[in-house]
Amino acid sequence: MMVPVRCFTCGNVVGEHWEEFNARANEGDEDPQAVLDELGVERYCCRRMLVSHRDLVDVVSPYQ
């Protein structure tokens, strides 16, 4: 899967938040919006960029 480095819309660097966001959001204990708030990602386009690149394979097909 592609790791986002910059937001496609505004060009802000979002790659620095990717590892922590992905780890915390994929655990399922935390809401992705709350994780982004804590990381300080405020712009809608950057938030959309990170949320849309989340690995949803485990969520979509939980039964292997």
Side-chain angles (χ1 to χ4, degrees):
M1 169 173 259
M2 184 183 104
V3 175
V5 176
R6 291 190 171 270
C7 176
F8 289 147
T9 306
C10 68
N12 283 345
V13 178
V14 294
E16 61 191 17
H17 303 296
W18 173 250
E19 292 292 328
E20 186 174 354
F21 169 73
N22 196 32
R24 289 174 59 186
N26 282 338
E27 287 177 1
D29 296 338
E30 295 185 69
D31 182 31
Q33 291 177 339
V35 174
L36 289 171
D37 289 339
E38 290 177 19
L39 292 175
V41 180
E42 296 177 0
R43 294 183 65 120
Y44 171 78
C45 58
C46 298
R47 292 170 76 95
R48 176 191 47 82
M49 182 78 174
L50 288 169
V51 170
S52 66
H53 279 79
R54 245 179 88 201
D55 191 9
L56 297 176
V57 172
D58 296 334
V59 175
V60 175
S61 62
Y63 307 106
Q64 300 279 334

